[in-house]
Amino acid sequence: MLTIFGILLMGFWGLLITLLCIPQMRPIERLGLSFVLGIGLSVVLMFIALFIGIELTLMNLLFFLLFSSFLLFLFLKRQLVVFSQQFRQIVSIKNFQQNNFLEKWLIILLLGLGFYALVISLYWPVHAWDALTLYDFRGKILADPQAASAYIRGEFNWFYYGYPLLTSLSNTFVYLFGGKNPLFLSGLFYISLGVLFYGAVREFASKFISLLVTFLLLAHFQLIRHVTLDYSNLPYFTYFIIGTLYLLVWMVKEKKGYFLIGSILIGLSVLTRDQEPFWLVNFVIISLYALNRRKFIYPLIFLLLTAPQRFFWGAFKEGVAGSVFETSRQVQDSSYLINRLPDLGKLKEVFVFLYGVFSGAWGLPILLSFSVVLIFSLKELRKTKNFYLLLFIFGNLGALFLGTYISTFTLPGWEDISDSVARISVIFYPFWLYFIATSSIFQKIFPDKKIKK
Amino acid sequence: MNKISKHNFYIFPFLWLLVLCLSILESFTFPGFLYKSIFFGFQFFLLFYILSGFLLRSKILILSKNGNNFYKFLGQLNNILLPIILLITFITSAVEVANYRDYFLNKIHLQPKNLYWTSFIVLFAVILNLKNLGKKWFLDKLILQREKSSIIVLALLGWLVVFNIRSISGIVFKNLFFIAQHPLVDYDFKMRYQWGDFYDYMVFLRENTPSEAKMAHPPWEIPPWLSTGSQPLVRYFLYPRQLFQTKDITSLDPKADYAMIAWGFWQCPQKPTEKYFGQCSYGWPKVKINAEWIIYKEEKSARLKKKIENTIYDPDDKINKNAWGLIKIKKEP
């Protein structure tokens, strides 16, 4: 019971933050955002508390969440009332009946997937290899004040500092509230990803297409298997994908709240997994956009909300775990690109390797669909919103390609990382779906007057 | 174009029957059978079936009729077939998951996952047969406005829907079936299901050592001790006990008070190209140890089977073959 209360309190706190940042949002989408923002920002505060010597205890957490929620509540009472009225209207049977036949079935299927994710993540305990060896182990020790202090002092083996702490501290949150099994957080991340993805697509596409691509997203093996893994991948995907799509909404519709939340979410993705350089690609694209529109402050704000996590965590782990995580080693790895001509043989190897991973993990249908839509959209591309989306997609594909290319020099047996690459490649699947759904191809057939301008 | 449309009236039923039979054929052989046999995969014929279907629908719309008597019969046949084939698909998938992988392949040489394509073929025919809803229905809108790009992309997304449902059905059924069969089991049962005897062994070690114990365990990343040799993995179950391991399989860290007796869960490398091929041997420790006591675990359980006091652990002793246990090391005064 206490665990449920803790999650609800954290979600309520997240809800108030979303009301502060984005006044207008679909109620269901706001609920999904409440969870991801609530847990993410709670973890950031727990992280800071650990470093400044404040013990992570139930009372400390409760006090902070209750006190800050109360203050925000006083300020946002009216918006909360409006939200609850909107929410009740959305989940009513009357509203459901207004959907057409296919939309109803898609909603039922999506609810089924969400229910399935919740059931299996509540049923199974944390059991996957990496979750036991790293994420959940850290989650448990950080819930013990003495062990947590030892961890911050760097008294554990370097292995335990390899990945940032978001996934582990999320588990710690559950343990502090008396929970025994934090795996249900994966189920909530999965559901939130679906809800938020739907909301992001719905900004530019009709309800039917939004529901269809959301179903295609959630009903994929690579995503659904993560519900029982308790790895950092699912939270990372959620934060990075939704963060990027929110940045896109900001670029097209100039809604500043989406920029703020999008940047925060990308920052949280860095606090989940810091090895992936995709956030840098986002920074480059935002900078290009800002230069084009003469909005020079935005790249700085983005950096402010994302870079500290990367550099602070990097400095910390280098400080405690020594030469294993030296930045200079990463710089040395990157030197394989400088002062040497591209190795065509290796480039071809990397291309074949990545194609094999992508088509094996994702299948031909999505690759073909994306390619076909891209070909049909080429003529009008520069004028449309999807121009920036393509920059995100190909920019990040380029980063993945480059990273794999460098690995051919630095990592013996680099071909054995296909499972890791398949997991990382999950970020592209939602972008492909988003691109297909929001392309001009469907606009003529599904013009939706309710899409917000 | 009119000639093609005219002939399509006759081509479509033929294609319907062809892809239906081909999908059933691949269900009873293997996916990719056609591609291997005649260099044209099943999806090649499926694509023509779908295009023929769209062309047929456009003709029916324009002529504002729902087809002749033969088509009415075909429509009714598909309406009857759809629930039957869907039921067969789901039941066979669920039964397979409840038993073991390739259950139907072994029994009647059937691959249930391929029946999703059969279901799609019939479902598509049913959708085509739906009464003319005028210009409101999006499919008719697409066809009437000759939106080729949208039709192609929707067809590809339809393919993706079937592809995805096929890929997740196994894992979904497997989990739901397990939960339905074991709704109220405890943590130990679930972990035993996931980790097998390794979990029992961890429980055995935890229950037979104090929390301040210092335990030696096999070296890291060397088969057959890939799990018992993984210090982070073992630590999850045994923390706060301290763990010690050396790189050499024949030595023991002197700081340890206890030592695992680990036969090895993982198979030794079978191929000459694999690392440690020819160097892998079961059973650890590899040296004799003076012991205050040695305890052995029961098979497929965390219970203690036997305890021997004041003895010497000898790796060549028959009792240590296939054994899992624990040594309390006798320290020299």
Side-chain angles (χ1 to χ4, degrees), chain B residues 3-229:
Chain B
K3 266 192 183 172
I4 297 172
S5 299
K6 195 176 162 187
H7 292 311
N8 191 49
F9 263 120
Y10 306 102
I11 292 171
F12 178 77
F14 165 73
L15 280 173
W16 171 83
L17 190 62
L18 176 69
V19 287
L20 200 63
C21 294
L22 291 178
S23 71
I24 294 171
L25 175 68
E26 286 214 332
S27 302
F28 280 97
T29 51
F30 57 87
F33 168 78
L34 276 170
Y35 179 74
K36 281 211 161 182
S37 310
I38 61 171
F39 297 112
F40 288 103
F42 162 72
Q43 274 123 31
F44 173 79
F45 297 98
L46 188 69
L47 190 62
F48 279 104
Y49 168 66
I50 293 170
L51 290 171
S52 172
F54 279 131
L55 193 60
L56 181 76
R57 181 76 190 191
S58 70
K59 203 68 190 157
I60 291 173
L61 272 176
I62 289 164
L63 297 179
S64 296
K65 65 180 182 185
N66 287 330
N68 57 26
N69 283 336
F70 173 71
Y71 270 96
K72 280 182 183 162
F73 163 73
L74 193 65
Q76 279 160 7
L77 178 64
N78 277 293
N79 286 346
I80 296 166
L81 269 178
L82 182 63
I84 297 171
I85 195 71
L86 278 176
L87 208 58
I88 293 172
T89 306
F90 283 121
I91 289 173
T92 48
S93 298
V95 169
E96 173 138 318
V97 158
N99 287 277
Y100 54 86
R101 199 175 155 177
D102 296 334
Y103 172 79
F104 279 104
L105 191 65
N106 289 328
K107 296 280 179 187
I108 56 172
H109 215 277
L110 170 69
Q111 309 224 28
K113 270 201 173 169
N114 220 56
L115 292 175
Y116 282 103
W117 288 118
T118 318
S119 307
F120 173 73
I121 291 162
V122 176
L123 178 65
F124 183 71
V126 165
I127 290 173
L128 284 180
N129 189 48
L130 284 174
K131 280 188 189 165
N132 185 0
L133 297 176
K135 291 172 195 171
K136 285 184 192 167
W137 201 32
F138 75 92
L139 189 59
D140 294 340
K141 221 192 283 188
L142 279 178
I143 297 167
L144 276 175
Q145 293 179 18
R146 302 268 192 268
E147 290 292 344
K148 295 186 212 68
S149 53
S150 307
I151 292 171
I152 291 170
V153 175
L154 263 181
L156 286 169
L157 289 182
W159 179 16
L160 188 58
V161 168
V162 181
F163 184 89
N164 281 6
I165 291 174
R166 262 181 95 231
S167 69
I168 67 168
S169 59
I171 192 175
V172 169
F173 280 131
K174 186 177 175 186
N175 273 304
L176 290 177
F177 241 71
F178 187 90
I179 294 170
Q181 286 174 320
H182 311 98
L184 298 172
V185 291
D186 61 9
Y187 176 84
D188 285 336
F189 183 93
K190 292 172 192 173
M191 288 300 277
R192 202 169 285 123
Y193 175 80
Q194 296 290 350
W195 284 94
D197 214 27
F198 173 78
Y199 178 72
D200 283 334
Y201 185 53
M202 292 295 110
V203 172
F204 171 81
L205 292 174
R206 197 170 61 220
E207 287 175 354
N208 288 285
T209 52
S211 57
E212 61 275 7
K214 295 175 184 169
M215 196 181 305
H217 67 119
W220 199 16
E221 288 188 327
I222 297 178
W225 311 289
L226 295 177
S227 40
T228 43

Side-chain angles (χ1 to χ4, degrees), chain A residues 276-287:
Chain A
E276 284 79 358
F278 301 127
W279 67 281
L280 280 171
V281 174
N282 286 13
F283 171 67
V284 168
I285 294 166
I286 287 168
S287 303

Side-chain angles (χ1 to χ4, degrees), chain A residues 166-177:
Chain A
L166 190 135
T167 312
S168 299
L169 282 172
S170 308
N171 290 7
T172 305
F173 185 98
V174 173
Y175 289 127
L176 287 173
F177 274 90

Side-chain angles (χ1 to χ4, degrees), chain A residues 3 6 21 51 55 67 94 99 122 160 177 182 192 212 225 231-232 254 256 268 272 278 285 294 315 395 424 449:
Chain A
T3 315
C21 297
F51 276 93
E55 267 185 17
F67 182 68
K94 190 178 164 190
N99 296 297
L122 281 166
Y160 295 102
F177 274 90
S192 301
L212 177 65
R225 74 180 184 123
Y231 285 5
S232 55
E254 300 192 358
K256 289 185 187 140
L268 289 172
T272 313
F278 301 127
I285 294 166
R294 297 185 185 280
I424 293 167
K449 290 168 198 164

